[in-house]
Amino acid sequence: MRERLEEWRERFRRPLLFCARRDFALLPKVRDLELTLTRLLEEAPEELSEALRRRLGELVRGIDSLEPEEKKERIKRILELSEDLAGPEPEEEFPAYPDPDLLKRFREELRTPVQFLRGVGPKLAARLATRGIHTIEDLLYFLPKSYEDRRRYTPIRELRAGGKAVVKGEVVLSGPVQFRRRRIYEVVLSDGTGLLTLKWFHFRESHLRETFRIGKTVIVSGEVSRFGGRFEMVHPEVEDPEAPGLELHVGRILPVYPPVEGVSPKVLRRIVREAVERHADKLVSYIPPEILRRRRLLPLSEAVRGLHFPPDDADLSALNAERSVYHKSLAFDEFFFLELALGLRRSRVKQAPGIAFRTASALVERFLARLPFRLTRAQERAFEEIKRDMAKPFPMNRLLQGDVGCGKTVVAFLAALIAIDNGYQVALMAPTEILAEQHYAGFRELCGLAGVETALLTGGLPPSRKREVKQALALGQVHLVIGTHALFQEDVEFKRLGLVVIDEQHRFGVLQRAALRDKAKGVSPDTLVMTATPIPRTLALTIYGDLEVSLIDELPAGRKPVRTELFTEASRHLAYEKARQEARRGHRVYVVLPLIEESEKMDLLSATEWAEHLRKEVFSEFRVGLLHGRMSPPEKERVMRAFKRGDYQILVSTTVIEVGVDVPEATVMIIEHAERFGLSQLHQLRGRVGRSDRQSYCFLVAHGVSPGGEAWRRLRVLTETNDGFRIAEEDLKIRGPGEFLGTRQHGYLEFRRADLVRDYEMLLAAREEAFRLLEEDPALARPEHQPLKEILSERWAERLRLSEVA
Ligand code: ADP
Ligand code: MG
């Protein structure tokens, strides 16, 4: 076999060696090199690796029409590449499904420090490190920010001002000139069709003199402008047509990289090429080829190769819009493995043994009869969906999604009652102590109506009380426990945990969800996740890829949409005036300020000082309460209670009231420094008012923001819509998913390149394909899917706790 390859190599190289003889003396006489080489390539035995075949093909294409110098370079390159065709070591070949050892070696090689790449020494490596490029893999993923068209030389006569161009011409003038009291360096080029002036305002004269000797041919590229009737380029990039490696910088679509300090673009391109040539093929991802074919996408290694050095016929505008097939392929690759991981989790959870609850419940009937209102249709529908899940002998994994105030709590409570009626316990987890406390207060009323035992368990409780609650839980005396992360600490034991309700799940992340589920030994409890944050569909698909979704898309009848208005510091007195009127009618007012760090106190209002000011100057006829982050839980509780009862009419607060508080009498919310909040966060806050049939108001005071400016326009969205989903989409566009969700929990949503908003289509495609694959092979057990598992475990196992692939 090897011999056949050897033999072919000899035949393939013969015409090339002929061309190269006597320093290419015969080259001008050679015709039809492309045709000859293309035919030979077609005859190559199968042992020739796909990668090599492709690369040789690329180099051969168009070779006849190259300038002599370029042609020489190209021939040298082909000879170089074809030298060890067989790959003296078999590692140069890439079998369709390599054994895990080979993959592992690839991975290790990709993680080699970039310093060991040819052409990179310690100094250069240190500079690359400032850009986060430490390994060869990092360099491969260091992608161009844009692309420049340097495919052809433009005749000077055809230049246009305003565009970029590459010109090849002869130096006819070269030297410093006086220009408006400045010395500048000027070169005039001629290409036979016209004259082009080159200008330098900063220069080293000896260097330019040498580069632009009169009579020399040079290639320059840059932005073309018109000055005094002649075309010119200021500080152009210069290439010497004689220089080796020229084809890297001209005659192609040029990758433009983000700047790296101390590394010139040319050097950067050279080392990236080195990395791509030698290592891109090691980026294997093994997405089944039929999937890629169906979606018209490329394998990872080719995508990366194309991103750095797109072929001449690539679509330049698609490249610059980051929508080329290479960009798409890379995004698809990232999403595919995430979705595969989520799909695996989902099918695993679905198949695990769960509790089949009896869902006809007298407890539920009794409770509903006592409830002072009727469920909305959306609430009923969500409850039906939950009941169907609970009846199945598999664990429920459902997301209950709906805008603030739509009544998720009642629905979750109904699910809890079913579990309790079946003799199980329920745990409700809130993201903060104050929210746990508020839930507890709210649920206690509901529990009273239903006659079930409830308890609070948070880190802030006195140790003796904690012990009591833990004991009661272990004995099964508490039916419903409400708490924070303290609930899944090691020493909390349940007698019979049947349902876990998680409020505001995105603050916990997938991992904690699993941890709490593990609390029920043996059988997995059902899980219901409530989120008041309207998660854009894009994100829901990724974060909650393993959950079914119930949506409550209707508010209880009689609610009036909150009226939202925007103010500046100069006009804010109007907002406070309106608030005063509302308070006089017996309604309650929130004034919200951002939480501030010591270091930025300078130009921000502090809650304490502002409360003092309001007490004296604005709301002197009312009682003003203050709630802030540094207060102890019992203190907060006391203030909240007092506000709820009406002992305070005004509550000045940092964002601790962000979610969950229920004070129906509150009709005004003033938010100071609104510019510092995310739109979704503001929408959440606004949900604290408008919880009754009275008209409510939300007044946003933006500081240092000029009406009409960007920040102002962003805030305007809130005055225009009450649709939390639309607001969330806007937020996602502006701030990105990490910001949107709080980066802390979302390390696992970091992609190398993919972007949840821009590449949304690819996300959907990846999800479809990943789920389809899992339908055929639910545990990825087939031998041809083993490499997928390998990669999954490398990329996602840790982040998503996929024990079965790890
Ligand atoms: P969410 O948690 O979805 O933000 P809540 O469950 O806190 O909303 O409900 C908001 C308020 O609406 C609560 O005071 C609750 O008692 C009330 N509520 C819930 N469902 C209904 C309904 N169907 N009709 C009238 N009021 C309701
Ligand atoms: Mg709620």
Side-chain angles (χ1 to χ4, degrees), residues 49-196:
S49 76
E50 200 43 53
L52 212 48
R53 192 187 299 260
R54 201 183 50 235
R55 251 181 298 162
L56 289 171
E58 280 168 12
L59 290 170
V60 165
R61 192 152 45 91
I63 196 166
D64 291 328
S65 55
L66 294 177
E67 305 273 328
E69 284 310 316
E70 293 173 282
K71 200 187 285 185
K72 273 190 222 168
E73 279 308 312
R74 193 66 78 83
I75 289 170
K76 282 190 209 156
R77 187 83 195 100
I78 300 175
L79 280 170
E80 213 176 284
L81 255 182
S82 58
E83 209 150 17
D84 57 352
L85 273 194
E89 308 104 294
E91 74 183 63
E92 290 297 317
E93 284 177 22
F94 306 103
Y97 296 107
D99 61 289
D101 288 344
L102 186 60
L103 267 179
K104 207 170 181 183
R105 220 187 37 239
F106 282 177
R107 252 177 273 155
E108 275 163 20
E109 285 176 20
L110 287 169
R111 289 194 190 138
T112 311
V114 69
Q115 183 182 330
F116 298 110
L117 191 69
R118 205 176 66 181
V120 183
K123 241 197 224 144
L124 195 49
R127 289 178 184 153
L128 292 171
T130 63
R131 265 283 183 181
I133 304 167
H134 304 284
T135 64
I136 288 175
E137 187 173 25
D138 293 337
L139 188 59
L140 287 171
Y141 278 107
F142 185 68
L143 300 176
K145 66 175 168 45
S146 63
Y147 299 84
E148 219 179 285
D149 192 354
R150 291 205 187 166
R151 281 174 291 193
R152 61 181 214 110
Y153 304 126
T154 307
I156 292 172
R157 194 178 40 205
E158 289 173 24
L159 288 177
R160 297 231 179 298
K164 289 196 159 186
V166 188
V167 170
K168 187 172 183 177
E170 198 185 309
V171 178
V172 293
L173 276 175
S174 174
V177 296
Q178 204 63 26
F179 177 74
R180 290 185 191 153
R181 276 194 269 142
R182 268 187 88 163
R183 235 165 85 88
I184 66 168
Y185 198 97
E186 256 190 28
V187 168
V188 177
L189 285 191
S190 160
D191 70 348
T193 74
L195 296 177
L196 171 68

